[in-house]
Amino acid sequence: VHLLRNAGDEVTITVQYLREAPSFLKLPLGSPGPSSDHSSGASSPLFDSGLHLNGNSTNTAPSSPSSPIANEPKYEKRWLDTLSVPLSMARISRYKAGTDKLRSNAFEVLALDGVSTGILQFYTAQESADWLRAISTNISDLTLQNMKMANKCCSPSDQVIHMGWVNERLEGADSSQLYKFKFLALKGSSFYIFSTPPVSTLDWVRAEKIYNLCEVLFKIHKLWLADDCWLQANWYLGIHQDFDLEDQRPYCFSVMVGHGKSHYFNVELGSELAVWEKSFQRAIFLEVQRTGSKTYMCSWQGDTLCFTVDFALGFTCFDSKTKNVLWRFKFSQLKGSSDDGKTRVKLLFQNLDTKQIETK
């Protein structure tokens, strides 16, 4: 290196073939020797980092000088793909089909059109975690690009906040727990559940379920690990018994949608769970700001009334015909609430004058 740095503008280098190189560089035996035709321009097997073996002698790609052994594999100057899986809107699965058991150092990637990589098995948990994180990051970046493109066609009040794949828990006929891939989206005033991702404007009205964000409740069900490594044995040995462990899957959350109904979801990585929690908080907050208040028809003491929840002022109950206000309380006066899970709600307010608790 010192000689090259100080040799001047023109340098003549003589290269000699070293027959011990194949074993040192872990190349196959019978690696190409020196070419008799120095002007042929054929490349060495070390020409670039994209050289790969191909046993097909009929391949038309440029090859190395002929090997001393006639049937020796040829070198290729390009990558040979056996399968290409687009990562845009793709999903990852770490679980054995039909079970709650994680695969050991393995996972599967499925494209939007259902094409699968098959089970990708790695030698160590660290290698598997590194590849899982890299692929997941790539999918997230592509999803963000799709969101930005969709938002260009939407009004400021109808922007996509977040979207992505989850597993939804379904109850089987025999009370068994089944999981099915679902695609969730937070857009404008609504929470969407799809069986397949929306790829056009018309797809948004074809969702399986659509809920108003002012009327849903997000809840995380399990403690999740700070990093996306594989679950340790102690998770299954009961060390975290004080947490809500409804099944063997980590990274779970539910969305209550009214009338006691809820959807129970699982994501593959702890980082995904954190993003969903943050996204729900943001989407609900923005919708509450936009909505301002909501009014519901109800009955109180046998009369048909209107019950208004004003997100700035509090609770108001007034006659639906005369519009006369029967009572009004601020959020700070609400001291408790309960319901029967169906139609009845009990609210406990503190009267600011008497300091007494009033039941409504």
Side-chain angles (χ1 to χ4, degrees):
V1 174
H2 176 74
L3 290 174
L4 288 174
R5 286 176 176 171
N6 298 278
D9 295 335
E10 295 185 7
V11 179
T12 301
I13 299 177
T14 302
V15 180
Q16 184 176 2
Y17 178 74
L18 180 64
R19 292 197 172 276
E20 289 77 9
S23 59
F24 177 75
L25 297 173
K26 298 182 181 180
L27 295 173
L29 295 177
S31 292
S35 173
S36 58
D37 182 7
H38 294 284
S39 63
S40 65
S43 63
S44 160
L46 303 181
F47 182 80
D48 61 30
S49 60
L51 299 175
H52 292 267
L53 287 173
N54 182 4
N56 184 1
S57 60
T58 62
N59 199 296
T60 58
S63 62
S64 63
S66 60
S67 168
I69 302 176
N71 295 326
E72 197 64 31
K74 304 291 185 180
Y75 281 97
E76 294 284 344
K77 289 200 299 181
R78 60 186 178 87
W79 291 96
L80 300 178
D81 298 333
T82 54
L83 180 66
S84 178
V85 177
L87 292 182
S88 179
M89 297 293 193
R91 60 186 187 268
I92 298 173
S93 176
R94 297 164 56 194
Y95 292 90
K96 295 180 180 179
T99 72
D100 287 331
K101 295 182 179 180
L102 287 168
R103 299 184 183 277
S104 178
N105 304 341
F107 59 87
E108 179 183 13
V109 182
L110 297 99
L112 175 61
D113 58 2
V115 175
S116 170
T117 59
I119 307 304
L120 303 176
Q121 185 74 46
F122 299 88
Y123 288 105
T124 66
Q126 186 60 52
E127 286 181 334
S128 182
D130 290 344
W131 275 105
L132 181 68
R133 187 178 294 108
I135 294 175
S136 176
T137 299
N138 193 302
I139 293 174
S140 298
D141 291 344
L142 292 171
T143 300
L144 184 60
Q145 292 180 20
N146 290 328
M147 287 168 49
K148 289 181 177 178
M149 291 178 61
N151 285 338
K152 290 181 179 179
C153 304
C154 300
S155 65
S157 62
D158 198 32
Q159 298 284 292
V160 180
I161 302 298
H162 186 58
M163 60 184 184
W165 285 102
V166 299
N167 299 292
E168 182 176 13
R169 189 177 70 186
L170 307 173
E171 297 295 338
D174 56 353
S175 298
S176 61
Q177 294 180 354
L178 307 174
Y179 279 86
K180 187 175 181 179
F181 277 114
K182 298 290 184 179
F183 192 86
L184 307 185
L186 300 172
K187 181 176 183 289
S189 62
S190 303
F191 164 50
Y192 296 81
I193 301 178
F194 297 91
S195 57
T196 57
V199 294
S200 69
T201 304
L202 293 177
D203 290 338
W204 288 96
V205 298
R206 299 170 182 168
E208 291 184 352
K209 301 287 184 180
I210 303 177
Y211 301 103
N212 188 287
L213 284 170
C214 286
E215 300 174 354
V216 303
L217 176 66
F218 177 91
K219 178 185 177 183
I220 289 182
H221 279 263
K222 292 185 179 179
L223 175 71
W224 53 281
L225 303 180
D227 54 347
D228 294 323
C229 61
W230 303 110
L231 289 179
Q232 302 299 318
N234 60 6
W235 183 276
Y236 297 96
L237 295 179
I239 291 180
H240 298 292
Q241 288 294 327
D242 53 327
F243 294 98
D244 181 14
L245 304 178
E246 295 190 19
D247 51 37
Q248 295 298 317
R249 294 196 177 204
Y251 318 137
C252 296
F253 67 91
S254 66
V255 181
M256 187 176 294
V257 295
H259 300 290
K261 297 180 180 179
S262 65
H263 294 271
Y264 189 89
F265 303 106
N266 153 258
V267 290
E268 301 288 336
L269 304 173
S271 56
E272 293 179 313
L273 184 60
V275 172
W276 275 114
E277 180 183 28
K278 182 178 179 181
S279 299
F280 262 95
Q281 290 175 348
R282 181 186 174 202
I284 292 174
F285 174 76
L286 291 174
E287 180 55 19
V288 166
Q289 277 193 323
R290 284 192 295 262
T291 302
S293 67
K294 290 187 74 70
T295 299
Y296 304 90
M297 296 297 295
C298 67
S299 62
W300 180 65
Q301 296 182 347
D303 297 324
T304 301
L305 306 175
C306 292
F307 177 66
T308 298
V309 181
D310 189 298
F311 299 116
L313 302 177
F315 306 91
T316 304
C317 194
F318 59 91
D319 189 287
S320 58
K321 296 180 180 179
T322 64
K323 307 301 180 183
N324 293 330
V325 175
L326 302 179
W327 48 263
R328 178 183 286 117
F329 294 96
K330 298 179 180 179
F331 284 108
S332 59
Q333 294 176 264
L334 180 64
K335 300 304 178 182
S337 65
S338 62
D339 63 82
D340 63 356
K342 297 179 181 179
T343 60
R344 298 180 65 87
V345 177
K346 180 189 290 185
L347 302 174
L348 303 178
F349 297 103
Q350 184 180 43
N351 190 300
L352 294 179
D353 297 326
T354 64
K355 304 299 181 183
Q356 298 297 314
I357 300 297
E358 298 182 16
T359 302
K360 304 296 183 182

